[in-house]
Amino acid sequence: MTPRTSLPDAALTGLRSGFAGEVHAPGDPGYDEARTVFNSMIDRRPAVVAQCASEADVARALALARDRELEVAVRGGGHSVAGMALSEGGLVIDLRRMRGVSVDRDARSARVGGGAVMSDLDRATQPHSLATTGGRVSTTGVGGFTLGGGSGWLERKFGLACDNLLAADVVTADGGTVRASADENPELFWALHGGGGNFGVVTSLTLRLHDLPAMSMVMVLFRPENGPEAVRTYRDVMATAPDEAGGACIYITGPPEEWVPEALVGRLVCAALITFAGTEAEARDVAAPLLALDPEAAVIDTVPYADLQCMLDDPPGMRNYWSAEYLSGFPDEAVAAFCADAATMPVPTNTQHVLFPMGGAVARGPADYPLPWRSSPWAVHPFGVWESEADDERVRRWVRGVRATMMPWANGAVYLNFIGREGQERVMAGFGEDAYERLSRVKARFDPDNVFHLNHNVKPAVAMV
């Protein structure tokens, strides 16, 4: 398809007629806001942004794309690091007006609009003392997060987000609407457990909720020279921790918070975080070996889950570049390599060098989903976030360097929500070869022309070479 920068007035008028949402084209007052995404490095100019308010709006927008041969992008939270929510000269189906959340307390479930972000879900479930695994950033879109697998603080207790997917409503490339659940379109339902947005526009999801009467956290800070001991201790703590415990070891720039010593603000620090689906006393017990290391600072508190979800939020307008490696093990040699990479991390920036513990309900989840990384015990996630264009190359070089350093312990699998465009080989590593073939057959049924290809793409079986 040939990129376009504008559409004829008649085409825009036709789309706007009877459209419940709003349509933005170049020159419209809301156009620039409508095409702004999380990663400020992405600057694309769609021919039209259709901010849909209903499934009918989605179908109308897809019809225009077919008629005008426009490339289609789908936007939920807009958090794709590669900017997959935008098409240069194409049509964007923007779901942000479809972000309602309805909680059924008795059924322990929530129906979530396709444009909802994590804070919409978390704030709706919190008054009921219910929750489900969500992303670690409150502005992440629930739809893309869940369809890609969904890794978060509660995963060791409640499983991945997609493990809690009960049903989804999907508008397909031809404008039809289908429902996917264990009883309806079961192959599509299977594909939505990690297969991403390859099969249509998911306009709503029904998610299983779990009782969460209390959420606690322990965060301790160490100087970088004490980082290796802290990381080793964290590794050993999580090896025997209950499923309620999650968290991460994170090298960060010391933030200007009251509890952070002034000498650490703006400097590299090693933070060990224990999140706990339970009481402060229980969290403190798990974190006891870390507290015994005499950290430079510590925060121990019971915190509402929705507030915890905001803790790592980055300010808007930042530049982003991320990647990940999933590990078969994390021996002392890997700890040393991880900490050595931290020493070269660009500071001060909002960049994070993250080690996530896996296991628990993640590893026990359904083995047939297209998520080969779920059996990994550890994940390393170099998360580049910075402000100045002048730092672009050094941050990207550092992220790629972390991947290379971790390669001796990597198992080759990868959570695709954590990476950008890294080639078809990495896409295959995210799904697994056998699962990819099954996904491609589902794709051939629901999107034979690969209309939905601005993602970690699965090609329809009939188009495979």
Side-chain angles (χ1 to χ4, degrees):
M1 298 181 183
T2 303
R4 305 163 187 255
T5 56
S6 63
L7 287 174
D9 289 343
L12 292 170
T13 299
L15 177 60
R16 288 183 170 118
S17 177
F19 198 84
E22 290 193 14
V23 175
H24 297 284
D28 290 346
Y31 174 76
D32 284 332
E33 185 281 329
R35 69 183 184 90
T36 299
V37 292
F38 177 74
N39 185 358
S40 68
M41 296 179 75
I42 308 300
D43 183 17
R44 297 184 187 137
R45 299 185 63 83
V48 58
V49 178
Q51 294 187 328
C52 302
S54 66
E55 289 181 343
D57 281 356
V58 174
R60 287 176 65 86
L62 286 171
L64 176 65
R66 288 195 303 273
D67 291 345
R68 293 287 172 174
E69 297 185 334
L70 296 173
E71 184 177 57
V72 174
V74 180
R75 175 178 181 149
H79 263 248
S80 160
V81 69
M84 295 175 184
L86 293 179
S87 169
E88 181 67 38
L91 179 142
V92 175
I93 294 175
D94 185 340
L95 300 176
R96 283 178 290 175
R97 290 175 177 269
M98 302 173 68
R99 60 190 299 171
V101 178
S102 176
V103 176
D104 187 329
R105 179 71 177 85
D106 294 333
R108 300 286 203 280
S109 67
R111 190 171 188 271
V112 185
V117 297
M118 209 55 61
S119 62
D120 296 323
L121 174 59
D122 297 336
R123 299 294 177 188
T125 60
Q126 187 164 281
H128 303 280
S129 297
L130 296 172
T132 196
T133 302
R136 301 173 178 92
V137 177
S138 69
T139 55
T140 298
V142 177
F145 169 77
T146 303
L147 299 177
S151 171
W153 301 129
L154 294 175
E155 64 190 0
R156 284 170 45 88
K157 178 64 175 175
F158 300 142
L160 300 171
C162 73
D163 295 338
N164 294 287
L165 179 64
L166 300 175
D169 295 310
V170 185
V171 179
T172 55
D174 61 4
T177 301
V178 299
R179 186 165 176 81
S181 69
D183 300 320
E184 302 175 78
N185 297 296
E187 272 297 281
L188 175 60
F189 186 58
W190 169 84
L192 297 179
H193 288 75
N198 272 287
F199 312 99
V201 182
V202 175
T203 54
S204 75
L205 309 93
T206 302
L207 298 172
R208 180 186 297 109
L209 302 177
H210 305 267
D211 289 316
L212 187 67
M215 192 75 196
S216 304
M217 60 161 284
V218 177
M219 178 176 274
V220 289
L221 295 187
F222 299 89
R223 293 182 183 273
E225 56 267 29
N226 301 122
E229 182 181 19
V231 175
R232 286 192 301 270
T233 303
Y234 184 86
R235 175 199 61 192
D236 296 343
V237 164
M238 292 307 301
T240 59
D243 291 351
E244 288 81 0
C249 259
I250 317 173
Y251 279 92
I252 57 173
T253 299
E257 302 287 347
E258 287 185 6
W259 62 278
V260 178
E262 185 177 351
L264 298 184
V265 174
R267 297 180 178 275
L268 181 69
V269 297
C270 177
L273 171 66
I274 298 288
T275 61
F276 198 88
T279 66
E280 178 183 323
E282 292 171 308
R284 186 187 291 270
D285 284 346
V286 172
L290 288 162
L291 294 168
L293 297 179
D294 193 23
E296 299 293 321
V299 172
I300 306 170
D301 202 1
T302 298
V303 58
Y305 175 63
D307 292 347
L308 176 67
Q309 290 282 74
C310 303
M311 190 171 65
L312 294 181
D313 282 2
D314 291 309
M318 305 295 282
R319 306 172 78 79
N320 283 255
Y321 184 77
W322 330 319
S323 194
E325 287 295 339
Y326 281 71
L327 311 182
S328 297
F330 198 56
D332 288 351
E333 296 83 2
V335 172
F338 175 81
C339 296
D341 277 335
T344 63
M345 194 177 95
V347 174
T349 64
N350 287 69
T351 292
Q352 303 165 19
H353 186 31
V354 189
L355 172 75
F356 287 123
M358 306 290 288
V362 178
R364 295 192 300 268
D368 74 323
Y369 290 163
L371 302 165
W373 48 272
R374 74 181 306 153
S375 61
S376 308
W378 296 98
V380 170
H381 182 31
F383 189 87
V385 183
W386 68 103
E387 187 172 3
S388 172
E389 184 177 352
D391 290 327
D392 284 2
E393 185 49 38
R394 74 170 181 140
V395 178
R396 287 184 294 206
R397 185 170 57 247
W398 175 80
V399 169
R400 292 190 292 264
V402 171
R403 279 196 60 205
T405 298
M406 290 293 108
M407 207 57 68
W409 304 280
N411 59 24
V414 64
Y415 174 36
L416 294 175
N417 281 2
F418 273 176
I419 72 171
R421 297 187 186 278
E422 296 185 4
Q424 189 65 14
E425 183 177 340
R426 288 280 271 175
V427 172
M428 295 290 286
F431 297 130
E433 186 173 350
D434 291 343
Y436 183 90
E437 292 181 4
R438 185 176 172 185
L439 290 169
S440 73
R441 293 192 292 271
V442 179
K443 178 79 168 181
R445 177 181 173 190
F446 290 96
D447 184 19
D449 297 322
N450 205 13
V451 170
F452 303 107
H453 63 266
L454 289 179
N455 44 46
H456 293 295
N457 192 230
V458 173
K459 297 179 181 178
V462 293
M464 294 176 68
V465 295

